[in-house]
Amino acid sequence: MPLLSADSSQTTKRQSFRTLEMVSMDMDKEFDQQPFGVDYGRLENGLVYYVKCNSKPKKRAALALAVKVGSVLEEEDERGVAHIVEHLAFSATKKYTNHNIVKFLESIGAEFGPCQNAVTSFDETVYKLLVPIDKPELLSEAIQVLSEFSSEIRLSKDDLEKERGAVMEEYRDNRNASGRIFDAYWTLMMEGSKYAERLPIGLENVIKTVSSQTLKQFYQKWYHLCNMAVIAVGDFSDTKSVIELIRTHFGHKYSASDPPPIPHFLLPSHEDPRFSYFVEPEAAGSAVRIGYKMQVDEVKTVKDYREMLVKSMFRNALNRRFFKISRRKDPPYFSCSIAAYVLVHESKAYIMTSSCKEKGILEALESMLIEVARVRLHGFSEREISVVRALMMSRIESAYLERDQVESSCLRYEYSQHFTDNKPIIGIEYEAQLQKSILPDILASEVSKFAEKLWTPCSCVIQIVEPQASATIDDLKNILKKINKLEKERSISPWDDEHIPEEIVNSKPNTGNIVQQLEHLNIGATELILSNGMRVCYKCTDFFNDQVLFSGFSYGGLSELPESKYFSSSMGSTIAEEIGMFGHRPSVLMDMLAGKRVEVDVEIRAYKRTFYGDCSPLYLETALQLVYQLFTTNVTPDDEVIKRVMQVKEQAILARERDPYTAFANRAREINYGNSYFFRPFRKSDLQKVNPLKACEYFNSCFKDPSTFTVVIVGNIDPTIALPLILQYLGGIQKPNEPIFPFNCDYIKGLPFKFPKTITREVVCSPMVEAQCMVRLCFPTELKRGKMEEEIHYIGFLSRLLETKLLQLLRFKHGQIYSASVSEFIDGDLPCVTGDVRGDIRIDFSCDPKISLKLVDLALSEILRLREEGPSDQDVTTILEIEQRAHENGLQENYYWLSRILCSYQSRIYAGDIGTSFEILDEGRSKVRKSLTPLTMQLALQRIMPHKNQHTVVILVPHVSWFQRLRSFSQWTLNGIDVKILAAIAGLTVLALSLQRYSRKS
């Protein structure tokens, strides 16, 4: 098979960075304000444009219209208007009506979905399109759509009334626990500024009552070309023709002669720290958040850039300490990290966030503050900074190696940030030179000094989140006083770092050999059978210079276990990961891998055991060493680790039980799949059934026998380098004397689930802080043995059809949902070559609880109509186009090829020849595409979902009185209780209340 040329080998690529010239360190040198590497200009009417030729992905263009208009410009009676305008842009413009923009996007294979095509923030609104451009007219029309957004959004009364429900549903989706926590923190952070009261989603009252005239006034006041930029990044033949298209569609437009200037709203600083003790009954757990607000750094000179690197090194070094603390005995928190966030224009914050056990917030707060104080007193060690330096050098090296393979959507985002936030674009080549020149000279003392900016008197905001209060604000203040006293007395000891071994593998294994080698030209892959029985298939690609993906699997998993062993075994991978499944504790391994772009993980599922990961070609040896360690390490229980793992698991269970959606998801799962221990989530009582020794023993046995594993590797591989490594670290894994997990794929034990034979409808009433409603419809599916591979493609097309039609009906016609998802569960993951395959198609959407029944009936009626009448020609054309465009994009991605090769091995038609299996699957897709018509889609729907009167509907609603439930759901089962029983209970309640009133009168 053809190999990658020597010029693209990892050795040459590495040298291209290692030999990169250093730059002179003139700290006062100013960067060019013009963005590097893009055609940048301004039309006479004030519109800015950015145009860039970029071939990733091929025959695609990432477009955007960035508008410097966000929610902060709204008046009190307009709160939410900027976001509603963004919604209505896709509803109707001067040229496009009745959501024809959405229909156009879908007809060319550019999917439309929530948050995919536009986003409204505090300071800007950005409209985004990712469109194919293999036909000349497509780019022109896509730019015309952006042109319509700039000045021709219709904003009629009818348009607004149709979209209110969708916006309201998006608002309702945000009113969950995480949304309330964020809103409270944001209000505290922004106190004293207009930003505190201008969340982009707006106010419920405004969403429900605002007039179309108010929308028009806002749109006309602020949407001016001088506040806008068009961004076009794509696989263009040249930029001049694209600029001419922009001139054609925007050049004739004119802004108002004297548009109002965009005002700037400052965020005032404060010396006294602000506190918020937020009690949230539905919170995912207890958390501490500490934020330090400051001005956004302007990066105008080399000195500014150096200071930015220093701050980045500080965050990385502190995060590594936080991680190590979380892995200690009786840690103060389960996880903790610091990150920098741009809040709004000119303001950012360094925010430390930790999650901890219940009633553990004071301990977590103290530990977080002490660590920052420790850095102020003693600083980071040179060894800590050398680790961080290697990490950052590795990241910029990766970016440099893939400088010509950046996704167009990423470049689009960079140009948008340049326009809205004045972020400089100096080019990755120059950035690589700068970092290579600057990083080696940054000292630990410089990095440590940044901790002085993280004092609690420096605009500090502290938020505590707990399901139930366990402390007070005074307790928080006392912690701050304690830390200040300790720091003043210098009573905080220096950081004590642990020893880090030099080598991952202590002694290199004996090299295996190749027993058989096969070339599969239709895949472009090579298959090896190694002397220990392991099967390895690798495919060389040039999609990304710095990416290699791999995955290895073996049959036999949790489905084979009786209930007595299930709970211990299912915890095996979690426990092993924390102990050190690669032969080293996670906190130690983290430092050993610093600067090496390698990730490896494992998963044990119902039918398979899998290891998977990705790495740079430069560190393929390290990745394979970790796999070797996985197979040769025997993890043994460690009491401290087990205690921490069980604490985290228990807290997760408690958090899930507080979530209103848990009762809904559990009941839906139980109705559709039964009450088997395989399907129900862990309960607190199940933790008592976990035997740590048995868990470790099971995990050790899962990754022990190489002869049962098939490994697929895809990416920028040089076989002359990779093959010796494969033979040493994969071929060097010793095959055990007795087979382990000797499962034939024909006889894997299936999961014990049975779909209800009749229509089942149930309402789950759950206590919740604010009203939420979720609807789930499930339909059983049957895929017949004879045409299994074709039927799997059909079910994918059916899912897309149902999602498109339900979105058209429930959102665009009735305006009552924000989004709908359709997904399929196929037990085809069971690699059994006999029998039919069962599964289901699941439909999910959220809505106003009051209209949930109406929307369920509408959805069911639409599905019945499709069964009886079939889809339209346009429906079929649209889903074919979307699937084809996704396929074309996938062919340029390593993940796509990895998945396709794995599927070929795991398919029921695989009989030892991966090339044949791959070909049959590919032909199956082509055959289904060619045969797809309204009639064949209709017949597929009838065939795959054969039972018209067999489905389940589960609805989550807020907990209300019995009378309200009876009135609203008289035809439904409530939480499994028959309506007749409820009627009897209600009757007794009426009688009791009557007697009580009579008694009081007497």
Side-chain angles (χ1 to χ4, degrees), residues 137-202:
E137 68 275 10
L138 296 183
L139 179 60
S140 178
E141 185 160 4
I143 292 175
Q144 184 176 42
V145 167
L146 296 181
S147 170
E148 292 280 299
F149 291 162
S150 71
S151 61
E152 307 294 345
I153 303 176
R154 192 166 68 182
L155 304 174
S156 72
K157 182 179 179 181
D158 289 343
D159 297 331
L160 175 58
E161 292 309 317
K162 285 183 179 180
E163 195 67 18
R164 275 192 211 274
V167 179
M168 193 61 220
E169 192 50 42
E170 187 177 357
Y171 173 88
R172 190 179 292 108
D173 283 346
N174 285 314
R175 300 308 302 161
N176 54 19
S178 59
R180 290 188 292 271
I181 292 168
F182 171 80
D183 289 357
Y185 192 62
W186 180 265
T187 301
L188 190 67
M189 288 279 282
M190 297 290 127
E191 187 176 306
S193 166
K194 189 178 179 182
Y195 286 106
E197 297 179 343
R198 290 298 181 271
L199 288 165
I201 193 63

Side-chain angles (χ1 to χ4, degrees), residues 663-674 764 776 778 952 954:
F664 163 76
N666 290 350
R667 186 59 186 144
R669 191 183 299 110
E670 183 178 356
I671 289 173
N672 293 323
Y673 306 136
V764 177
R776 176 167 298 169
C778 283
T952 66
V954 183

